[in-house]
Amino acid sequence: CPVTGEAFAAGFGRFARVFVGETPGWRAPGGSAGAEDVLEHLAEVRELAGFAVPDNIYEEVRFIAASLGVA
């Protein structure tokens, strides 16, 4: 098999990759937030536009850095 660490779905002759994606999310001012703050911004946290599917922790760190304007 040419891939590792991936999951696939199969049913009735259909085969597809299953993955976990990460949305750009919402950034809390000052870097910390309570449950109420997250609830208030839940639509931003859940927004799928611009999601990423990092293959490893380094890609996730790059995604986070980009959200900070660092990358």
Side-chain angles (χ1 to χ4, degrees), residues 16-69:
R17 179 180 176 201
V18 175
F19 60 88
V20 174
E22 182 176 349
T23 68
W26 166 72
R27 177 162 309 285
S32 67
E36 297 83 11
D37 299 315
V38 175
L39 180 59
E40 184 177 331
H41 295 275
L42 194 56
E44 294 168 74
V45 171
R46 298 185 73 237
E47 174 58 48
L48 295 177
F51 79 91
V53 183
D55 286 329
N56 55 55
I57 189 67
Y58 304 108
E59 287 184 8
E60 183 173 7
V61 169
R62 282 193 289 274
F63 189 59
I64 294 168
S67 78
L68 292 168

